[in-house]
Amino acid sequence: MSRLQLKSDDVTKWCLEKNTGKVASYFELGENVMFIGFDYGTSSCSVASIHNGQPTPIPIEGDDIYIPSTLAAPSRESVSESLFRFYNIVPDTPERKASLRRAIAFNQEEGIELTRDDMTFGNAALNQYLSDPEFTYYVKSPKSFLGSSGLRDAQLQFFEDLVCAMMANIKQRSEQQLHTQITDAVIGRPVHFQGSGSDDANQQAQTILLSAAHRVGFKNVEFQLEPVAAGLEFEASLSEDKTVLIVDIGGGTTDCSMLKMGPSYRYNTDRSRSILGHTGQRVGGNDLDIHLAFRQMMTEFGLGSLMNSGLEMPITQFWNPVAINDVPAQTDFYSQANLKRLAELKKQAKQPEKLARLLQLYHAILGHGVVRRAEEAKIALSQTHEIQSSLDFLSDTVNVTITREAMMEAIESPKSKMMRLVKEAVVQSGVTPDVIYMTGGSAKSPILRQAVSELLPNVEVIAGNDFGSVTAGLARWAETCFA
């Protein structure tokens, strides 16, 4: 595809509805667009270009500029086959060729004849999973798994295929909107992809992102730390130099960076000297949802109930199904061997009807559905004291009443980890910030904002665009790298 010149009189202004991320109309850019900023997020993805000197979001799911980081397909093997059949991504190594042959053979044996629409993304993927969980392969937040230790080569290869599929979908949708080919991208990355924060883990994760980006057709790729990117967008509004603590709380990671920012630093291509300290860990909004689901919803599946012997049911059987960002936990729970353990626990249970629900969760792979209800409850409880959540995807609908106090108790552990990262960034840098800039999808939580304010009570907290600050900053950095 060649670079196209579009008519400038076709340009219409973006009209962003406050706090929704939806655009009021489509538009065509009156300039060539070859580079984008790409926020491949844990909870959602978004991309932006530069138009008239300003970051401009690109709608990638209908009119919405955010697409949930989810994928659904008829089978696990359908991901690799769809990349080849419908996205023209040809396997470039013997290992990938062998994997593709196995995937095609599996789908043929299962009678799965793929069409382009069989692999879905974003909200469409979630709806597909909720409507038919037993026969849908569903993945949420594959970024959460990047950098995991102990993964075999085949697992790493498959994670790359997942990332590749999501990137290919977003790239194609963006090009359709812009009517031109996108060849260059700056991709955001957290300070640490995993809790260990090891160099090997970070390198493994970044290598997967880089390889996937090249496979979908990005020719030139650069990376920028997500909190730094968020800071770049904030910096554009500063008229004087300030020391800024960037607190970026996403779906899967929390990153905190202390930066020197302002007019004196704005046009520096190397920002490493302005970074006074940074911390990061794999803990984010998804962890709040998981802990809330575990503490407040898994009781309906048997958590805390007793066996006939008087012993309490093993906790791991209720944690593993909702630990949707933990590969070993999910693998263990949904294994064939565990099915036998669950059946035995049901026989030994004083409340067998609850274990029957756990068995139903196992067979229909409903862990994601439970966590989804927890996420909805978390959002609602930021506005009200008590809510009732309905687990209506079970054969017998169960209603769970959750109070704000119960939620606060449930999420205390991940919240405390986030606040420790804020403290460590301040200690590491040895300075008190002039201002705190909070951004990221989970930073809009009044609970987390209050917690940060309590840590640094005399420092102003400014709320950034809950999702868009990182994307906008990445687009600005892309302009620096590629324009």
Side-chain angles (χ1 to χ4, degrees):
M1 185 184 299
S2 61
R3 179 182 291 195
L4 301 177
Q5 177 66 42
L6 303 179
K7 297 178 181 179
S8 60
D9 58 5
D10 287 334
V11 178
T12 60
K13 292 182 179 180
W14 284 96
C15 177
L16 293 176
E17 300 172 8
K18 186 177 181 181
N19 297 326
T20 65
K22 290 187 176 181
V23 296
S25 62
Y26 293 99
F27 77 106
E28 293 181 340
L29 293 178
E31 57 190 66
N32 294 320
V33 178
M34 297 293 287
F35 60 82
I36 58 171
F38 194 145
D39 182 11
Y40 181 73
T42 306
S43 294
S44 64
C45 299
S46 58
V47 291
S49 60
I50 296 293
H51 175 59
N52 288 339
Q54 295 298 318
T56 305
I58 303 168
I60 47 179
E61 188 174 43
D63 288 349
D64 208 316
I65 59 176
Y66 310 112
I67 183 169
S69 301
T70 57
L71 177 152
S75 67
R76 182 181 187 274
E77 291 73 14
S78 298
V79 176
S80 301
E81 184 175 349
S82 293
L83 282 175
F84 173 68
R85 291 194 184 280
F86 308 117
Y87 289 88
N88 298 319
I89 297 175
V90 179
D92 55 356
T93 66
E95 292 78 15
R96 288 200 181 104
K97 291 177 181 177
S99 177
L100 176 60
R101 286 195 294 269
R102 289 193 296 270
I104 293 174
F106 175 88
N107 287 331
Q108 288 178 340
E109 291 174 4
E110 294 296 316
I112 299 173
E113 297 182 6
L114 291 176
T115 67
R116 186 179 183 87
D117 295 334
D118 283 338
M119 188 163 66
T120 56
F121 305 88
N123 288 307
L126 176 62
N127 292 336
Q128 180 178 332
Y129 163 70
L130 292 177
S131 65
D132 192 12
E134 188 172 357
F135 295 101
T136 300
Y137 177 76
Y138 178 74
V139 178
K140 179 181 180 180
S141 308
K143 184 180 178 182
S144 299
F145 307 134
L146 300 185
S148 297
S149 60
L151 296 178
R152 300 186 303 274
D153 288 344
Q155 290 175 303
L156 293 173
Q157 180 179 296
F158 181 66
F159 284 142
E160 185 180 309
D161 280 352
L162 290 173
V163 175
C164 194
M166 296 172 73
M167 282 189 173
N169 174 62
I170 291 169
K171 185 174 185 289
Q172 286 191 7
R173 293 188 185 200
S174 300
E175 290 175 337
Q176 290 168 2
Q177 291 293 323
L178 299 175
H179 297 271
T180 191
Q181 186 180 28
I182 301 168
T183 58
D184 306 332
V186 169
I187 300 174
R189 53 149 292 181
V191 176
H192 299 305
F193 285 89
Q194 288 288 326
S196 65
S198 71
D199 291 340
D200 288 345
N202 290 328
Q203 187 58 52
Q204 176 209 95
Q206 185 164 307
T207 297
I208 288 175
L209 290 175
L210 180 61
S211 179
H214 284 317
R215 288 174 67 195
V216 303
F218 290 116
K219 295 179 181 177
N220 300 299
V221 179
E222 299 289 342
F223 290 91
Q224 180 58 273
L225 295 174
E226 289 162 359
V228 174
L232 292 175
E233 176 62 10
F234 176 57
E235 184 180 54
S237 68
L238 294 178
S239 58
E240 60 180 355
D241 292 346
K242 289 183 179 292
T243 301
V244 183
L245 175 61
I246 309 293
V247 179
D248 180 12
I249 306 177
T253 58
T254 294
D255 289 297
C256 305
S257 294
M258 192 78 76
L259 295 99
K260 290 287 188 181
M261 311 200 79
S264 299
Y265 306 93
R266 188 169 295 154
Y267 300 107
N268 293 348
T269 55
D270 181 5
R271 299 305 298 263
S272 60
R273 295 181 181 179
S274 64
I275 301 175
L276 305 179
H278 58 245
T279 59
Q281 188 175 344
R282 185 191 153 193
V283 57
N286 289 346
D287 296 276
L288 302 180
D289 304 336
I290 288 168
H291 278 74
L292 182 57
F294 175 66
R295 293 293 181 188
Q296 291 297 306
M297 295 181 172
M298 292 309 291
T299 53
E300 300 299 330
F301 296 86
L303 175 64
S305 65
L306 300 178
M307 294 185 282
N308 291 324
S309 63
L311 295 175
E312 193 171 295
M313 288 285 172
I315 290 178
T316 55
Q317 292 291 3
F318 308 97
W319 172 259
N320 286 354
V322 294
I324 57 174
N325 57 0
D326 186 332
V327 176
Q330 293 279 282
T331 302
D332 181 69
F333 181 78
Y334 289 110
S335 67
Q336 190 65 32
N338 195 47
L339 176 59
K340 296 179 181 179
R341 291 194 291 266
L342 293 175
E344 188 61 32
L345 287 175
K346 181 175 179 290
K347 293 179 182 178
Q348 300 174 16
K350 286 190 174 183
Q351 295 176 286
E353 70 281 2
K354 290 189 174 183
L355 271 295
R357 291 189 197 121
L358 188 63
L359 279 163
Q360 184 182 347
L361 184 153
Y362 172 97
H363 287 295
I365 317 177
L366 291 171
H368 283 280
V370 177
V371 176
R372 173 66 172 174
R373 291 294 182 266
E375 180 185 14
E376 294 168 351
K378 177 192 69 176
I379 294 170
L381 286 168
S382 68
Q383 303 294 328
T384 187
H385 177 72
E386 182 179 295
I387 63 100
Q388 188 176 78
S389 178
S390 179
L391 304 179
D392 52 5
F393 44 77
L394 299 170
S395 57
D396 59 328
T397 297
V398 177
N399 295 315
V400 182
T401 300
I402 307 175
T403 65
R404 185 179 296 169
E405 288 77 10
M407 178 188 70
M408 293 293 292
E409 183 178 349
I411 67 173
E412 178 59 31
S413 176
K415 188 192 80 170
S416 295
K417 291 180 181 178
M418 296 174 189
M419 294 309 107
R420 280 198 296 271
L421 292 171
V422 175
K423 290 180 185 178
E424 290 170 8
V426 174
V427 171
Q428 188 183 115
S429 62
V431 298
T432 300
D434 298 316
V435 63
I436 301 168
Y437 183 67
M438 288 191 68
T439 186
S442 299
K444 63 183 177 180
S445 165
I447 296 168
L448 297 180
R449 288 185 180 176
Q450 180 181 348
V452 171
S453 295
E454 290 172 354
L455 284 178
L456 297 163
N458 299 317
V459 182
E460 180 185 12
V461 178
I462 295 177
N465 183 327
D466 295 326
F467 290 97
S469 296
V470 170
T471 314
L474 293 172
R476 289 185 184 277
W477 195 252
E479 183 178 38
T480 300
C481 294
F482 304 124

